[in-house]
Amino acid sequence: AGVYSCTLKNIFGMESRTVDVRVQFIPIITTPPFDSIGIFNETSNLTCQAFGSPVPNITWIKDDIQLDPFNDPDLSTDTYVNEFTRTSILFFTNLDFDDSGSYVCRAVNNLVSPVMTDSESATFIVNHPPVLRDSEGLAVVNETQTINMSCTFFSLPSPDITWSRSGFSIPFMQITDNEKYTI
């Protein structure tokens, strides 16, 4: 790469031409996104940097679907470019459960043929408070029946689970004279 000149000279004059040689090469991701953990309703980001000539474009893909930050109010991107490098930062606002997943940074430059790409992936996890699912507020049984109760939840990280009866904590296995609790 560089500027090359050819100069011709004799007693009748001089002629000169210059050629700017630019070497093209496939994109290489130099700074891949890292596995990250975000917090529910907070902000976070993933960063990716690629090197290539022409300067590669970077797209973000989540769970095999290309992201479109222009159509998602909780996503945005910033891009920084220098001579051969592009850096893309994917910003998340108001993190939600659905933001967890596998994210791929894909770098593409349009060499004549074929189009060359490089990609790297990262797992992004959103920690959030517990959410109870499918809980029932009333169970009616006769005194000889066994009842199975469950507490179904969605939480990350996993919560501490306690059961109580009439405000008193029940150990995970408790047997008394008239009642048996197996939890």
Side-chain angles (χ1 to χ4, degrees), residues 100-170:
S100 292
S102 176
Y103 287 81
V104 174
C105 165
R106 185 177 66 189
V108 178
N109 68 5
N110 299 318
L111 293 174
V112 178
S113 182
V115 173
M116 303 303 289
T117 66
D118 188 16
S119 63
E120 293 284 344
S121 65
T123 300
F124 187 72
I125 296 171
V126 178
N127 282 339
H128 49 82
V131 175
L132 283 172
R133 305 217 178 187
D134 303 327
S135 60
E136 297 178 19
L138 176 64
V140 178
V141 295
N142 67 41
E143 62 187 357
T144 61
Q145 287 180 302
T146 299
I147 184 170
N148 291 318
M149 294 184 293
S150 65
C151 182
T152 306
F153 62 90
F154 185 68
S155 179
L156 199 61
S158 294
D160 293 330
I161 300 170
T162 57
W163 283 87
S164 61
R165 178 177 176 222
S166 302
F168 296 99
S169 181
I170 302 171

Side-chain angles (χ1 to χ4, degrees), residues 15-33:
E15 182 77 25
S16 167
R17 296 279 191 261
T18 61
V19 177
D20 185 2
V21 176
R22 296 179 184 173
V23 178
Q24 295 187 331
F25 48 92
I26 63 173
I28 299 167
I29 293 181
T30 55
T31 305

Side-chain angles (χ1 to χ4, degrees), residues 47-66:
T47 300
C48 183
Q49 185 177 71
F51 179 76
S53 178
V55 175
N57 290 314
I58 294 176
T59 55
W60 290 94
I61 300 162
K62 178 188 181 269
D63 299 330
D64 299 321
I65 298 171
Q66 185 169 326

